[in-house]
Amino acid sequence: MKKNIIIGILILAALVGFLKRDLFFRAADQWTEQSKARQKEMLTIVLNTPATDLSPYSADFNNTIRTANFYEGLVAFDRNLKIVPALALSWGNLDAVTWEFKLRKEVVFHDRAPLSAHSVVQSFLDLKEHGDELQSYLQTIDEVTAADDFTVRITTKAPDPLLLSKLTKLAVARPDNIGTGPYKIQEWLKGETLSLTAFADYWGTAPAYKNVEYRAIENRTVRQREFENGKIDILASVPRAQALELPQERLKKQFGLEVNFLMFKLDDPLFGRRDVREAIRTLVDPAK
């Protein structure tokens, strides 16, 4: 069962960088041999909100939890929030505003089209045209070009030390929601379920589960009942209030990159007073 929850966390890797604290609720370690065999075929993950957009152009957290399974970028964050290779095997700076990325040569999209520098360029053009929610990650990029079939160059408008972090949010994809990730879309019943199946030609390590099903159950009582009845393997994004009621040994916590802060309008007569701002600060416990 320990292996089960680790795999589940990997499938939900998109949570890193979006939530301050993500909580996973897993079943107790009493599984029959039959249920263990079933788990290798199917992993069922339940959230409280359905996906609204499976395109690579959505920045909504609820959607990216799911799409991280079938879309990839040039680089990614690992579980320690360190930048690691994804579709780009290596990279470096040619000058202060020019980055060069060397692509993996063994990658194919889910429709079997090969990954190339030209497909990366087209993907960025599509993101610029359709990705309204992602414009904050694109605004420092001046140009994306193909130096050869497997070399991509990104020129920024000015030196951008945060470019690699931004690239983790920008997927390389083809039309019709076709990515390069370990899973591909099998069926999407909008508002209900998303079914994924392992991509046989994935360039990386094959996923441990052949199939993954995301379900959305908005009613908290129903979610917990179905989990206790063995119909759910992982409850994801459990609300803090509910998580605090659960046995701590059945929870998995993971921290992301979100930063919360207070901003005061200093030209306001009240908030312009330092003693008032300091008094408000004492009401906030940074540890919670």
Side-chain angles (χ1 to χ4, degrees):
M1 187 58 192
K2 182 178 180 182
K3 185 174 183 180
N4 182 29
I5 189 62
I6 291 174
I7 297 300
I9 292 170
L10 290 177
I11 287 177
L12 294 174
L15 290 174
V16 177
F18 289 87
L19 282 185
K20 181 172 153 187
R21 179 172 293 175
D22 305 316
L23 301 162
F24 301 92
F25 179 27
R26 68 184 181 91
D29 295 333
Q30 285 137 11
W31 292 81
T32 63
E33 290 302 316
Q34 182 180 3
S35 66
K36 287 181 180 179
R38 184 186 71 82
Q39 287 301 310
K40 281 293 181 182
E41 291 296 316
M42 172 69 76
L43 182 72
T44 302
I45 302 170
V46 166
L47 297 98
N48 55 17
T49 308
T52 59
D53 182 3
L54 296 184
S55 79
Y57 312 127
S58 175
D60 181 83
F61 160 71
N62 183 61
N63 296 327
T64 55
I65 292 175
R66 297 158 166 93
T67 60
N69 294 290
F70 44 91
Y71 295 135
E72 297 176 300
L74 293 175
V75 295
F77 282 123
D78 67 8
R79 64 180 63 248
N80 298 312
L81 305 183
K82 178 182 177 182
I83 297 290
V84 295
L87 297 180
L89 189 59
S90 62
W91 57 86
N93 289 101
L94 299 183
D95 55 48
V97 296
T98 307
W99 295 71
E100 186 172 88
F101 297 83
K102 295 293 185 179
L103 301 180
R104 298 179 185 274
K105 297 183 178 181
E106 69 275 24
V107 180
V108 295
F109 289 93
H110 296 156
D111 62 358
R112 301 303 196 277
L115 174 73
S116 70
H118 306 286
S119 56
V120 172
V121 171
Q122 184 59 53
S123 186
F124 272 86
L125 291 174
D126 293 341
L127 285 169
K128 188 173 182 180
E129 181 178 356
H130 304 292
D132 293 342
E133 298 177 23
L134 299 170
Q135 292 309 305
S136 61
Y137 302 111
L138 292 163
Q139 62 184 4
T140 63
I141 296 176
D142 184 41
E143 189 178 26
V144 181
T145 59
D148 58 42
D149 287 347
F150 293 99
T151 303
V152 174
R153 288 179 183 165
I154 297 179
T155 305
T156 56
K157 298 172 184 176
D160 185 0
L162 298 179
L163 180 65
L164 292 178
S165 294
K166 295 174 183 177
L167 291 178
T168 65
K169 305 295 190 294
L170 304 177
V172 175
R174 286 169 55 78
D176 300 320
N177 303 340
I178 295 173
T180 59
Y183 287 94
K184 62 180 181 178
I185 299 173
Q186 188 171 44
E187 183 180 29
W188 183 34
L189 300 177
K190 193 169 184 178
E192 298 180 26
T193 61
L194 168 65
S195 299
L196 306 177
T197 188
F199 180 44
D201 293 328
Y202 181 55
W203 62 268
T205 302
Y209 295 91
K210 183 178 179 180
N211 300 292
V212 176
E213 181 179 83
Y214 280 93
R215 295 170 55 198
I217 302 177
E218 298 184 18
N219 186 287
R220 169 179 166 178
T221 302
V222 175
R223 287 199 306 270
Q224 188 155 338
R225 183 177 66 242
E226 292 209 5
F227 180 84
E228 295 295 347
N229 290 337
K231 296 180 180 179
I232 298 171
D233 300 314
I234 296 176
L235 281 180
S237 298
V238 176
R240 180 181 176 85
Q242 182 183 6
L244 294 176
E245 298 173 358
L246 301 172
Q248 292 300 298
E249 67 272 12
R250 303 176 75 187
L251 293 173
K252 177 63 180 178
K253 301 176 182 178
Q254 188 167 352
F255 293 87
L257 294 175
E258 183 179 284
V259 176
N260 295 306
F261 58 91
L262 289 175
M263 293 185 67
F264 297 101
K265 190 175 180 181
L266 297 182
D267 58 358
D268 184 282
L270 180 62
F271 294 136
R273 293 174 49 184
R274 180 170 180 172
D275 61 325
V276 171
R277 298 197 303 273
E278 290 182 345
I280 293 174
R281 182 177 62 83
T282 64
L283 299 175
V284 180
D285 184 352
K288 293 184 178 180

PDB file of all heavy atoms in Angstrom, residues 87-117:
ATOM      1  N   LEU A  87      11.102  17.597 -21.454  1.00  0.00           N
ATOM      2  CA  LEU A  87      11.311  17.371 -22.887  1.00  0.00           C
ATOM      3  C   LEU A  87      12.667  17.886 -23.346  1.00  0.00           C
ATOM      4  O   LEU A  87      13.208  17.420 -24.348  1.00  0.00           O
ATOM      5  CB  LEU A  87      10.189  18.046 -23.676  1.00  0.00           C
ATOM      6  CG  LEU A  87       8.784  17.504 -23.398  1.00  0.00           C
ATOM      7  CD1 LEU A  87       7.754  18.242 -24.247  1.00  0.00           C
ATOM      8  CD2 LEU A  87       8.718  16.000 -23.658  1.00  0.00           C
ATOM      9  N   ALA A  88      13.210  18.847 -22.629  1.00  0.00           N
ATOM     10  CA  ALA A  88      14.580  19.319 -22.896  1.00  0.00           C
ATOM     11  C   ALA A  88      15.540  18.541 -22.007  1.00  0.00           C
ATOM     12  O   ALA A  88      15.358  18.465 -20.791  1.00  0.00           O
ATOM     13  CB  ALA A  88      14.688  20.812 -22.630  1.00  0.00           C
ATOM     14  N   LEU A  89      16.536  17.960 -22.626  1.00  0.00           N
ATOM     15  CA  LEU A  89      17.511  17.165 -21.883  1.00  0.00           C
ATOM     16  C   LEU A  89      18.569  18.047 -21.229  1.00  0.00           C
ATOM     17  O   LEU A  89      19.097  17.733 -20.162  1.00  0.00           O
ATOM     18  CB  LEU A  89      18.173  16.157 -22.825  1.00  0.00           C
ATOM     19  CG  LEU A  89      19.062  15.093 -22.217  1.00  0.00           C
ATOM     20  CD1 LEU A  89      18.281  14.250 -21.211  1.00  0.00           C
ATOM     21  CD2 LEU A  89      19.630  14.197 -23.315  1.00  0.00           C
ATOM     22  N   SER A  90      18.878  19.189 -21.865  1.00  0.00           N
ATOM     23  CA  SER A  90      19.876  20.112 -21.322  1.00  0.00           C
ATOM     24  C   SER A  90      19.579  21.512 -21.838  1.00  0.00           C
ATOM     25  O   SER A  90      18.836  21.689 -22.810  1.00  0.00           O
ATOM     26  CB  SER A  90      21.295  19.688 -21.721  1.00  0.00           C
ATOM     27  OG  SER A  90      21.458  19.718 -23.126  1.00  0.00           O
ATOM     28  N   TRP A  91      20.182  22.510 -21.211  1.00  0.00           N
ATOM     29  CA  TRP A  91      19.965  23.904 -21.608  1.00  0.00           C
ATOM     30  C   TRP A  91      21.093  24.774 -21.083  1.00  0.00           C
ATOM     31  O   TRP A  91      21.872  24.373 -20.221  1.00  0.00           O
ATOM     32  CB  TRP A  91      18.613  24.414 -21.089  1.00  0.00           C
ATOM     33  CG  TRP A  91      18.474  24.282 -19.596  1.00  0.00           C
ATOM     34  CD1 TRP A  91      18.887  25.153 -18.630  1.00  0.00           C
ATOM     35  CD2 TRP A  91      17.915  23.163 -18.907  1.00  0.00           C
ATOM     36  NE1 TRP A  91      18.608  24.667 -17.376  1.00  0.00           N
ATOM     37  CE2 TRP A  91      18.001  23.449 -17.517  1.00  0.00           C
ATOM     38  CE3 TRP A  91      17.328  21.964 -19.313  1.00  0.00           C
ATOM     39  CZ2 TRP A  91      17.534  22.564 -16.546  1.00  0.00           C
ATOM     40  CZ3 TRP A  91      16.867  21.085 -18.346  1.00  0.00           C
ATOM     41  CH2 TRP A  91      16.974  21.391 -16.981  1.00  0.00           C
ATOM     42  N   GLY A  92      21.180  25.979 -21.626  1.00  0.00           N
ATOM     43  CA  GLY A  92      22.189  26.931 -21.184  1.00  0.00           C
ATOM     44  C   GLY A  92      21.966  28.275 -21.843  1.00  0.00           C
ATOM     45  O   GLY A  92      21.103  28.428 -22.716  1.00  0.00           O
ATOM     46  N   ASN A  93      22.747  29.259 -21.423  1.00  0.00           N
ATOM     47  CA  ASN A  93      22.646  30.616 -21.962  1.00  0.00           C
ATOM     48  C   ASN A  93      23.706  30.861 -23.016  1.00  0.00           C
ATOM     49  O   ASN A  93      24.897  30.624 -22.775  1.00  0.00           O
ATOM     50  CB  ASN A  93      22.805  31.646 -20.853  1.00  0.00           C
ATOM     51  CG  ASN A  93      21.605  31.686 -19.926  1.00  0.00           C
ATOM     52  OD1 ASN A  93      21.640  31.137 -18.831  1.00  0.00           O
ATOM     53  ND2 ASN A  93      20.546  32.325 -20.379  1.00  0.00           N
ATOM     54  N   LEU A  94      23.292  31.349 -24.192  1.00  0.00           N
ATOM     55  CA  LEU A  94      24.245  31.782 -25.210  1.00  0.00           C
ATOM     56  C   LEU A  94      24.687  33.212 -24.933  1.00  0.00           C
ATOM     57  O   LEU A  94      25.811  33.599 -25.243  1.00  0.00           O
ATOM     58  CB  LEU A  94      23.615  31.684 -26.603  1.00  0.00           C
ATOM     59  CG  LEU A  94      23.173  30.277 -27.041  1.00  0.00           C
ATOM     60  CD1 LEU A  94      22.631  30.323 -28.458  1.00  0.00           C
ATOM     61  CD2 LEU A  94      24.329  29.287 -26.937  1.00  0.00           C
ATOM     62  N   ASP A  95      23.782  34.004 -24.385  1.00  0.00           N
ATOM     63  CA  ASP A  95      24.096  35.353 -23.923  1.00  0.00           C
ATOM     64  C   ASP A  95      23.045  35.721 -22.877  1.00  0.00           C
ATOM     65  O   ASP A  95      22.254  34.867 -22.459  1.00  0.00           O
ATOM     66  CB  ASP A  95      24.138  36.366 -25.075  1.00  0.00           C
ATOM     67  CG  ASP A  95      22.864  36.387 -25.909  1.00  0.00           C
ATOM     68  OD1 ASP A  95      21.779  36.450 -25.311  1.00  0.00           O
ATOM     69  OD2 ASP A  95      22.953  36.328 -27.149  1.00  0.00           O
ATOM     70  N   ALA A  96      23.013  36.975 -22.479  1.00  0.00           N
ATOM     71  CA  ALA A  96      22.135  37.383 -21.377  1.00  0.00           C
ATOM     72  C   ALA A  96      20.649  37.195 -21.661  1.00  0.00           C
ATOM     73  O   ALA A  96      19.850  37.055 -20.730  1.00  0.00           O
ATOM     74  CB  ALA A  96      22.413  38.848 -21.017  1.00  0.00           C
ATOM     75  N   VAL A  97      20.266  37.181 -22.934  1.00  0.00           N
ATOM     76  CA  VAL A  97      18.843  37.074 -23.261  1.00  0.00           C
ATOM     77  C   VAL A  97      18.518  35.869 -24.145  1.00  0.00           C
ATOM     78  O   VAL A  97      17.377  35.713 -24.582  1.00  0.00           O
ATOM     79  CB  VAL A  97      18.345  38.362 -23.957  1.00  0.00           C
ATOM     80  CG1 VAL A  97      18.441  39.550 -23.017  1.00  0.00           C
ATOM     81  CG2 VAL A  97      19.099  38.612 -25.252  1.00  0.00           C
ATOM     82  N   THR A  98      19.480  35.012 -24.413  1.00  0.00           N
ATOM     83  CA  THR A  98      19.245  33.864 -25.298  1.00  0.00           C
ATOM     84  C   THR A  98      19.508  32.560 -24.570  1.00  0.00           C
ATOM     85  O   THR A  98      20.604  32.320 -24.063  1.00  0.00           O
ATOM     86  CB  THR A  98      20.141  33.929 -26.545  1.00  0.00           C
ATOM     87  OG1 THR A  98      19.987  35.204 -27.181  1.00  0.00           O
ATOM     88  CG2 THR A  98      19.777  32.824 -27.524  1.00  0.00           C
ATOM     89  N   TRP A  99      18.465  31.719 -24.529  1.00  0.00           N
ATOM     90  CA  TRP A  99      18.560  30.396 -23.918  1.00  0.00           C
ATOM     91  C   TRP A  99      18.501  29.348 -25.022  1.00  0.00           C
ATOM     92  O   TRP A  99      17.729  29.469 -25.964  1.00  0.00           O
ATOM     93  CB  TRP A  99      17.403  30.158 -22.959  1.00  0.00           C
ATOM     94  CG  TRP A  99      17.371  31.038 -21.749  1.00  0.00           C
ATOM     95  CD1 TRP A  99      17.077  32.371 -21.701  1.00  0.00           C
ATOM     96  CD2 TRP A  99      17.623  30.632 -20.409  1.00  0.00           C
ATOM     97  NE1 TRP A  99      17.128  32.827 -20.412  1.00  0.00           N
ATOM     98  CE2 TRP A  99      17.459  31.781 -19.591  1.00  0.00           C
ATOM     99  CE3 TRP A  99      17.963  29.417 -19.803  1.00  0.00           C
ATOM    100  CZ2 TRP A  99      17.627  31.745 -18.211  1.00  0.00           C
ATOM    101  CZ3 TRP A  99      18.122  29.382 -18.433  1.00  0.00           C
ATOM    102  CH2 TRP A  99      17.970  30.529 -17.650  1.00  0.00           C
ATOM    103  N   GLU A 100      19.322  28.311 -24.894  1.00  0.00           N
ATOM    104  CA  GLU A 100      19.302  27.221 -25.865  1.00  0.00           C
ATOM    105  C   GLU A 100      18.953  25.920 -25.155  1.00  0.00           C
ATOM    106  O   GLU A 100      19.530  25.582 -24.121  1.00  0.00           O
ATOM    107  CB  GLU A 100      20.650  27.090 -26.562  1.00  0.00           C
ATOM    108  CG  GLU A 100      20.643  26.061 -27.695  1.00  0.00           C
ATOM    109  CD  GLU A 100      21.922  26.085 -28.504  1.00  0.00           C
ATOM    110  OE1 GLU A 100      22.874  25.367 -28.107  1.00  0.00           O
ATOM    111  OE2 GLU A 100      21.988  26.824 -29.504  1.00  0.00           O
ATOM    112  N   PHE A 101      17.987  25.187 -25.728  1.00  0.00           N
ATOM    113  CA  PHE A 101      17.516  23.934 -25.147  1.00  0.00           C
ATOM    114  C   PHE A 101      17.743  22.796 -26.137  1.00  0.00           C
ATOM    115  O   PHE A 101      17.358  22.900 -27.305  1.00  0.00           O
ATOM    116  CB  PHE A 101      16.025  24.021 -24.817  1.00  0.00           C
ATOM    117  CG  PHE A 101      15.687  25.055 -23.776  1.00  0.00           C
ATOM    118  CD1 PHE A 101      15.540  26.389 -24.139  1.00  0.00           C
ATOM    119  CD2 PHE A 101      15.526  24.700 -22.446  1.00  0.00           C
ATOM    120  CE1 PHE A 101      15.239  27.352 -23.185  1.00  0.00           C
ATOM    121  CE2 PHE A 101      15.216  25.653 -21.486  1.00  0.00           C
ATOM    122  CZ  PHE A 101      15.079  26.985 -21.858  1.00  0.00           C
ATOM    123  N   LYS A 102      18.342  21.711 -25.679  1.00  0.00           N
ATOM    124  CA  LYS A 102      18.533  20.519 -26.483  1.00  0.00           C
ATOM    125  C   LYS A 102      17.440  19.512 -26.142  1.00  0.00           C
ATOM    126  O   LYS A 102      17.296  19.105 -24.993  1.00  0.00           O
ATOM    127  CB  LYS A 102      19.910  19.899 -26.205  1.00  0.00           C
ATOM    128  CG  LYS A 102      21.080  20.772 -26.615  1.00  0.00           C
ATOM    129  CD  LYS A 102      21.165  20.938 -28.139  1.00  0.00           C
ATOM    130  CE  LYS A 102      22.408  21.713 -28.539  1.00  0.00           C
ATOM    131  NZ  LYS A 102      22.526  21.869 -30.020  1.00  0.00           N
ATOM    132  N   LEU A 103      16.642  19.132 -27.137  1.00  0.00           N
ATOM    133  CA  LEU A 103      15.504  18.258 -26.907  1.00  0.00           C
ATOM    134  C   LEU A 103      15.904  16.782 -26.871  1.00  0.00           C
ATOM    135  O   LEU A 103      16.890  16.371 -27.490  1.00  0.00           O
ATOM    136  CB  LEU A 103      14.462  18.451 -28.014  1.00  0.00           C
ATOM    137  CG  LEU A 103      13.891  19.852 -28.201  1.00  0.00           C
ATOM    138  CD1 LEU A 103      12.878  19.830 -29.340  1.00  0.00           C
ATOM    139  CD2 LEU A 103      13.256  20.366 -26.918  1.00  0.00           C
ATOM    140  N   ARG A 104      15.107  16.004 -26.169  1.00  0.00           N
ATOM    141  CA  ARG A 104      15.250  14.547 -26.240  1.00  0.00           C
ATOM    142  C   ARG A 104      14.851  14.088 -27.641  1.00  0.00           C
ATOM    143  O   ARG A 104      13.904  14.613 -28.229  1.00  0.00           O
ATOM    144  CB  ARG A 104      14.333  13.876 -25.208  1.00  0.00           C
ATOM    145  CG  ARG A 104      14.648  14.238 -23.767  1.00  0.00           C
ATOM    146  CD  ARG A 104      13.679  13.548 -22.824  1.00  0.00           C
ATOM    147  NE  ARG A 104      13.883  13.972 -21.455  1.00  0.00           N
ATOM    148  CZ  ARG A 104      14.762  13.443 -20.607  1.00  0.00           C
ATOM    149  NH1 ARG A 104      15.523  12.433 -21.014  1.00  0.00           N
ATOM    150  NH2 ARG A 104      14.894  13.894 -19.380  1.00  0.00           N
ATOM    151  N   LYS A 105      15.533  13.090 -28.154  1.00  0.00           N
ATOM    152  CA  LYS A 105      15.271  12.642 -29.521  1.00  0.00           C
ATOM    153  C   LYS A 105      14.303  11.464 -29.603  1.00  0.00           C
ATOM    154  O   LYS A 105      13.853  11.108 -30.688  1.00  0.00           O
ATOM    155  CB  LYS A 105      16.583  12.282 -30.217  1.00  0.00           C
ATOM    156  CG  LYS A 105      17.525  13.469 -30.378  1.00  0.00           C
ATOM    157  CD  LYS A 105      18.782  13.096 -31.141  1.00  0.00           C
ATOM    158  CE  LYS A 105      19.683  14.317 -31.334  1.00  0.00           C
ATOM    159  NZ  LYS A 105      20.913  14.002 -32.094  1.00  0.00           N
ATOM    160  N   GLU A 106      13.975  10.869 -28.438  1.00  0.00           N
ATOM    161  CA  GLU A 106      13.138   9.674 -28.458  1.00  0.00           C
ATOM    162  C   GLU A 106      11.676   9.954 -28.142  1.00  0.00           C
ATOM    163  O   GLU A 106      10.873   9.027 -28.003  1.00  0.00           O
ATOM    164  CB  GLU A 106      13.677   8.652 -27.442  1.00  0.00           C
ATOM    165  CG  GLU A 106      13.508   9.043 -25.973  1.00  0.00           C
ATOM    166  CD  GLU A 106      14.613   9.936 -25.424  1.00  0.00           C
ATOM    167  OE1 GLU A 106      15.267  10.639 -26.220  1.00  0.00           O
ATOM    168  OE2 GLU A 106      14.816   9.924 -24.197  1.00  0.00           O
ATOM    169  N   VAL A 107      11.287  11.207 -28.083  1.00  0.00           N
ATOM    170  CA  VAL A 107       9.938  11.570 -27.643  1.00  0.00           C
ATOM    171  C   VAL A 107       8.959  11.595 -28.816  1.00  0.00           C
ATOM    172  O   VAL A 107       9.266  12.134 -29.880  1.00  0.00           O
ATOM    173  CB  VAL A 107       9.939  12.949 -26.955  1.00  0.00           C
ATOM    174  CG1 VAL A 107       8.524  13.320 -26.499  1.00  0.00           C
ATOM    175  CG2 VAL A 107      10.900  12.952 -25.766  1.00  0.00           C
ATOM    176  N   VAL A 108       7.773  11.017 -28.592  1.00  0.00           N
ATOM    177  CA  VAL A 108       6.683  11.131 -29.559  1.00  0.00           C
ATOM    178  C   VAL A 108       5.431  11.605 -28.828  1.00  0.00           C
ATOM    179  O   VAL A 108       5.252  11.359 -27.635  1.00  0.00           O
ATOM    180  CB  VAL A 108       6.389   9.796 -30.286  1.00  0.00           C
ATOM    181  CG1 VAL A 108       7.569   9.385 -31.149  1.00  0.00           C
ATOM    182  CG2 VAL A 108       6.036   8.697 -29.289  1.00  0.00           C
ATOM    183  N   PHE A 109       4.560  12.299 -29.559  1.00  0.00           N
ATOM    184  CA  PHE A 109       3.275  12.703 -29.005  1.00  0.00           C
ATOM    185  C   PHE A 109       2.337  11.500 -28.980  1.00  0.00           C
ATOM    186  O   PHE A 109       2.639  10.446 -29.540  1.00  0.00           O
ATOM    187  CB  PHE A 109       2.670  13.825 -29.861  1.00  0.00           C
ATOM    188  CG  PHE A 109       3.370  15.143 -29.732  1.00  0.00           C
ATOM    189  CD1 PHE A 109       4.396  15.488 -30.615  1.00  0.00           C
ATOM    190  CD2 PHE A 109       3.010  16.048 -28.741  1.00  0.00           C
ATOM    191  CE1 PHE A 109       5.046  16.708 -30.507  1.00  0.00           C
ATOM    192  CE2 PHE A 109       3.652  17.275 -28.627  1.00  0.00           C
ATOM    193  CZ  PHE A 109       4.678  17.608 -29.507  1.00  0.00           C
ATOM    194  N   HIS A 110       1.200  11.667 -28.334  1.00  0.00           N
ATOM    195  CA  HIS A 110       0.245  10.567 -28.209  1.00  0.00           C
ATOM    196  C   HIS A 110      -0.337  10.130 -29.541  1.00  0.00           C
ATOM    197  O   HIS A 110      -0.874   9.026 -29.649  1.00  0.00           O
ATOM    198  CB  HIS A 110      -0.877  10.969 -27.246  1.00  0.00           C
ATOM    199  CG  HIS A 110      -0.396  11.199 -25.851  1.00  0.00           C
ATOM    200  ND1 HIS A 110      -1.064  11.993 -24.956  1.00  0.00           N
ATOM    201  CD2 HIS A 110       0.721  10.757 -25.201  1.00  0.00           C
ATOM    202  CE1 HIS A 110      -0.401  12.020 -23.807  1.00  0.00           C
ATOM    203  NE2 HIS A 110       0.685  11.286 -23.938  1.00  0.00           N
ATOM    204  N   ASP A 111      -0.229  10.981 -30.576  1.00  0.00           N
ATOM    205  CA  ASP A 111      -0.666  10.561 -31.915  1.00  0.00           C
ATOM    206  C   ASP A 111       0.497  10.009 -32.729  1.00  0.00           C
ATOM    207  O   ASP A 111       0.390   9.831 -33.932  1.00  0.00           O
ATOM    208  CB  ASP A 111      -1.340  11.721 -32.648  1.00  0.00           C
ATOM    209  CG  ASP A 111      -0.400  12.905 -32.862  1.00  0.00           C
ATOM    210  OD1 ASP A 111       0.765  12.856 -32.404  1.00  0.00           O
ATOM    211  OD2 ASP A 111      -0.820  13.891 -33.491  1.00  0.00           O
ATOM    212  N   ARG A 112       1.606   9.749 -32.056  1.00  0.00           N
ATOM    213  CA  ARG A 112       2.839   9.161 -32.622  1.00  0.00           C
ATOM    214  C   ARG A 112       3.648  10.155 -33.462  1.00  0.00           C
ATOM    215  O   ARG A 112       4.650   9.783 -34.059  1.00  0.00           O
ATOM    216  CB  ARG A 112       2.556   7.913 -33.461  1.00  0.00           C
ATOM    217  CG  ARG A 112       1.863   6.776 -32.717  1.00  0.00           C
ATOM    218  CD  ARG A 112       2.642   6.317 -31.502  1.00  0.00           C
ATOM    219  NE  ARG A 112       2.223   5.025 -30.982  1.00  0.00           N
ATOM    220  CZ  ARG A 112       1.190   4.831 -30.155  1.00  0.00           C
ATOM    221  NH1 ARG A 112       0.439   5.865 -29.798  1.00  0.00           N
ATOM    222  NH2 ARG A 112       0.907   3.633 -29.693  1.00  0.00           N
ATOM    223  N   ALA A 113       3.263  11.409 -33.523  1.00  0.00           N
ATOM    224  CA  ALA A 113       4.080  12.411 -34.218  1.00  0.00           C
ATOM    225  C   ALA A 113       5.333  12.667 -33.378  1.00  0.00           C
ATOM    226  O   ALA A 113       5.255  12.790 -32.149  1.00  0.00           O
ATOM    227  CB  ALA A 113       3.293  13.703 -34.391  1.00  0.00           C
ATOM    228  N   PRO A 114       6.508  12.753 -34.011  1.00  0.00           N
ATOM    229  CA  PRO A 114       7.741  12.945 -33.239  1.00  0.00           C
ATOM    230  C   PRO A 114       7.870  14.376 -32.719  1.00  0.00           C
ATOM    231  O   PRO A 114       7.441  15.337 -33.363  1.00  0.00           O
ATOM    232  CB  PRO A 114       8.833  12.636 -34.264  1.00  0.00           C
ATOM    233  CG  PRO A 114       8.212  12.955 -35.582  1.00  0.00           C
ATOM    234  CD  PRO A 114       6.762  12.587 -35.460  1.00  0.00           C
ATOM    235  N   LEU A 115       8.442  14.488 -31.543  1.00  0.00           N
ATOM    236  CA  LEU A 115       8.755  15.806 -31.000  1.00  0.00           C
ATOM    237  C   LEU A 115       9.940  16.383 -31.760  1.00  0.00           C
ATOM    238  O   LEU A 115      10.925  15.693 -32.015  1.00  0.00           O
ATOM    239  CB  LEU A 115       9.103  15.698 -29.513  1.00  0.00           C
ATOM    240  CG  LEU A 115       9.593  16.999 -28.851  1.00  0.00           C
ATOM    241  CD1 LEU A 115       8.435  17.969 -28.660  1.00  0.00           C
ATOM    242  CD2 LEU A 115      10.275  16.692 -27.522  1.00  0.00           C
ATOM    243  N   SER A 116       9.846  17.658 -32.117  1.00  0.00           N
ATOM    244  CA  SER A 116      10.957  18.337 -32.776  1.00  0.00           C
ATOM    245  C   SER A 116      10.975  19.784 -32.323  1.00  0.00           C
ATOM    246  O   SER A 116      10.017  20.272 -31.699  1.00  0.00           O
ATOM    247  CB  SER A 116      10.798  18.280 -34.301  1.00  0.00           C
ATOM    248  OG  SER A 116       9.723  19.110 -34.718  1.00  0.00           O
ATOM    249  N   ALA A 117      12.042  20.476 -32.656  1.00  0.00           N
ATOM    250  CA  ALA A 117      12.128  21.894 -32.312  1.00  0.00           C
ATOM    251  C   ALA A 117      11.006  22.676 -32.982  1.00  0.00           C
ATOM    252  O   ALA A 117      10.479  23.641 -32.416  1.00  0.00           O
ATOM    253  CB  ALA A 117      13.486  22.443 -32.723  1.00  0.00           C
TER     254      ALA A 117
END
